[in-house]
């Protein structure tokens, strides 16, 4: 009913005469009544919306008037969200700036690395083709070459000592099995009991002395391995760093010399100043590593003489005592060098370690 009355009120025509008076007063009264009814209905609808209507966060503001199109709809959630996210926008901008700063820093690092790699590669190629000059410390280079040759020879000694250990271990195991077999035959062959018994005791004695000698050889191998693969290798790593620093130093030195031979305008002078700073940085690094290499080579030589003096004496005394059959001297040699033999079966891991 309300809809019909609203429709009627909306479609009524109000004819106006030339003096501005209404032609039909009855129609004016009906129009006024229809407007009052329409207003009361809208007021009731508004009260109902306020009581049980949708959440304000889910409503919209229509900018096109009542019954307008949806082109002018502005969601209220966007208005509220703009206020809520206004504070978080500052933090997001700060995070973006921090991320941008990290990216710029990484880019600078990659740029410096690429420039340094280019200069070093260029210097290396120039040296190989004989077009570039390199800084040479003749005394230090000779010591480095001696160290590398010594390492190769000691690696050969280590390889042969390990082979000797493996072969001798197999022989000791064979002697142990042979002694057990002789002992068993001594019990089962009454007519040859004494002969089998003598041989069983001999093999057991040789097996015991062989295990003692194996302890000495294993100690010798372990010490040589530490000297070659740890002490010498550490010095060689420092030498590698020194050689890289030398290459960088020569690369930046050649770059500075090339700039000095060019024109002396404002741009070139700025580049020369920057190249001079880089040259001094790499020169200090090169001299520091050269000093480190010299010190390490000196200490390595002293340590090598001390270690090898002890190990060669041990190896000689142990081998001599074993093949001379002098059990007391063999045991005394191990005590002299503080070598403790592992009890039988100690090399075998426990069942828990095997899991």
């Amino acid at each position: 009913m309300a809809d019909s009355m609203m429709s009627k009120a909306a479609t009524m025509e109000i004819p106006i005469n030339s003096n501005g008076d209404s032609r039909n007063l009855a129609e004016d009264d009906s129009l006024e009544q229809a407007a009052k009814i329409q207003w009361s209905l809208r007021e009731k609808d508004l009260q109902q919306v306020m009581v049980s209507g949708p959440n304000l966060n889910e409503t919209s503001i229509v900018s096109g008037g009542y019954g307008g199109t949806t082109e002018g709809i502005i969601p209220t959630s966007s208005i509220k969200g703009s206020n809520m996210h206004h504070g978080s926008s500052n933090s997001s901008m700060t995070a973006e700036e921090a991320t941008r700063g990290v990216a710029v820093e990484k880019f600078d690092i990659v740029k410096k690395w690429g420039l340094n790699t280019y200069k070093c590669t260029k210097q290396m190629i120039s040296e190989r083709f004989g077009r570039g000059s390199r800084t040479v410390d003749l005394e230090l280079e000779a010591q480095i070459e001696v160290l590398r040759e010594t390492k190769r020879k000691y690696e050969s000694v280590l390889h042969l000592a390990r082979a000797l250990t493996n072969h001798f271990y197999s022989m000791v195991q064979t002697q142990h099995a042979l002694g057990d077999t002789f002992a068993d035959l001594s019990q089962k062959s009454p007519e040859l009991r004494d002969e089998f018994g003598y041989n069983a005791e001999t093999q057991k004695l040789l097996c015991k002395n062989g295990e003692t000698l194996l302890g000495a050889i294993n100690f010798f191998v372990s010490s040589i391995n530490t000297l070659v693969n740890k002490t010498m290798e550490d010095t060689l790593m420092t030498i590698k760093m020194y050689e890289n620093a030398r290459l960088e130093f020569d690369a930046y030195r050649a770059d500075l010399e090339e700039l000095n031979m060019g024109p002396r305008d404002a741009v070139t002078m700025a580049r020369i100043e920057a190249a001079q700073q880089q040259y001094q940085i790499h020169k200090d690094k090169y001299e520091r590593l050269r000093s480190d290499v010299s010190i390490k080579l000196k200490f390595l030589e002293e340590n090598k003489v001390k270690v090898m003096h002890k190990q060669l004496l041990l190896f000689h005394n142990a081998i001599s005592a074993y093949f001379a059959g002098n059990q007391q001297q063999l045991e005394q040699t191990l005590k002299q060098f503080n070598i403790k033999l592992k009890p039988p079966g100690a090399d075998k891991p426990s069942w828990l370690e095997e899991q």
Side-chain angles (χ1 to χ4, degrees):
M1 178 179 179
D3 295 336
S4 62
M5 294 180 68
M6 290 173 60
S7 176
K8 181 179 180 182
T11 56
M12 284 182 177
E13 295 181 0
I14 306 176
I16 303 298
N17 58 10
S18 60
N19 294 325
D21 296 331
S22 174
R23 293 182 180 180
N24 194 347
L25 296 178
E27 291 182 357
D28 292 341
D29 294 336
S30 61
L31 179 59
E32 184 178 358
Q33 292 178 0
K36 290 181 178 179
I37 294 173
Q38 182 178 2
W39 171 253
S40 63
L41 291 174
R42 289 183 180 178
E43 186 176 4
K44 290 181 180 179
D45 293 339
L46 179 61
Q47 291 177 355
Q48 185 178 1
V49 168
M50 294 295 292
V51 174
S52 60
N55 193 346
L56 290 177
N57 293 331
E58 300 175 356
T59 59
S60 302
I61 298 176
V62 182
S63 62
Y66 181 81
T69 60
T70 59
E71 294 179 357
I73 295 178
I74 304 174
T76 58
S77 60
S78 64
I79 300 176
K80 184 177 179 181
S82 63
N83 294 327
M84 293 177 61
H85 295 291
H86 179 71
S88 62
S89 62
N90 294 330
S91 61
S92 63
M93 290 177 63
T94 304
E96 290 179 359
E97 291 177 356
T99 304
R100 189 180 298 108
V102 173
V104 171
E105 183 179 357
K106 290 183 178 180
F107 176 76
D108 291 339
I109 293 174
V110 173
K111 182 180 178 181
K112 292 179 180 179
W113 174 83
L115 182 61
N116 185 74
T117 303
Y118 166 75
K119 291 181 180 296
C120 293
T121 305
K122 179 181 177 182
Q123 176 65 24
M124 185 185 301
I125 295 175
S126 298
E127 291 178 2
R128 289 187 178 181
F129 285 94
R131 294 194 298 266
S133 60
R134 63 187 299 265
T135 304
V136 180
D137 189 331
L138 296 178
E139 182 180 358
L140 190 60
E141 293 290 337
Q143 294 177 2
I144 292 173
E145 187 59 32
V146 169
L147 172 60
R148 286 174 174 156
E149 182 64 24
T150 302
K151 186 174 184 290
R152 285 192 291 267
K153 292 180 179 179
Y154 275 47
E155 285 174 343
S156 178
V157 171
L158 180 61
H159 175 73
L160 294 173
R162 283 174 173 168
L164 176 64
T165 303
N166 293 332
H167 296 323
F168 197 77
Y169 177 79
S170 299
M171 187 185 75
V172 170
Q173 294 299 313
T174 303
Q175 288 176 338
H176 188 276
L178 189 59
D180 291 342
T181 304
F182 283 156
D184 182 63
L185 288 173
S186 176
Q187 298 294 329
K188 297 180 179 180
S189 303
E191 67 281 2
L192 296 173
R193 176 176 299 176
D194 294 338
E195 288 79 359
F196 278 126
Y198 295 151
N199 281 278
E201 292 296 328
T202 301
Q203 294 300 320
K204 289 181 179 180
L205 180 61
L206 290 174
C207 182
K208 181 180 178 180
N209 292 340
E211 291 175 351
T212 305
L213 179 60
L214 276 175
I217 298 177
N218 285 330
F219 186 77
F220 175 82
V221 170
S222 176
S223 299
I224 300 299
N225 180 66
T226 302
L227 178 63
V228 172
N229 293 322
K230 292 185 178 180
T231 309
M232 290 184 177
E233 189 64 28
D234 177 71
T235 304
L236 288 174
M237 288 295 295
T238 307
I239 290 173
K240 185 176 181 180
M241 294 170 60
Y242 156 75
E243 291 175 343
N244 291 335
R246 197 278 310 163
L247 183 63
E248 291 179 350
F249 166 66
D250 284 337
Y252 283 91
R253 176 181 56 80
D255 186 35
L256 180 60
E257 291 175 354
E258 183 179 353
L259 289 174
N260 284 328
M261 290 187 298
R264 294 302 182 94
D265 54 3
V267 177
T268 306
M269 291 302 297
R271 293 179 60 187
I272 290 175
E273 183 178 357
Q276 181 68 37
Q277 294 177 356
Q278 292 295 323
Y279 165 79
Q280 189 62 40
I281 291 173
H282 288 86
K283 180 181 179 181
D284 295 340
K285 179 181 178 181
Y286 163 73
E287 292 178 349
R288 184 180 69 253
L289 285 172
R290 181 175 62 180
S291 177
D292 292 344
V293 170
S294 299
I295 294 173
K296 283 198 172 186
L297 286 173
K298 180 181 178 181
F299 282 113
L300 175 61
E301 184 65 24
E302 295 176 357
N303 187 33
K304 182 193 70 174
V305 172
K306 186 184 299 183
V307 169
M308 292 308 298
H309 175 76
K310 177 181 178 179
Q311 296 303 318
L312 291 174
L313 184 62
L314 165 67
F315 191 82
H316 173 269
N317 292 345
I319 292 290
S320 300
Y322 173 80
F323 284 100
N326 193 337
Q327 181 180 358
Q328 293 181 352
Q329 184 180 355
L330 182 59
E331 294 176 353
Q332 186 64 30
T333 299
L334 268 67
K335 291 180 181 179
Q336 178 183 355
F337 293 95
N338 298 322
I339 301 174
K340 296 181 180 180
L341 296 179
K342 296 180 180 180
D347 293 336
K348 183 178 180 181
S350 63
W351 66 272
L352 185 60
E353 294 175 339
E354 293 177 347
Q355 299 302 320

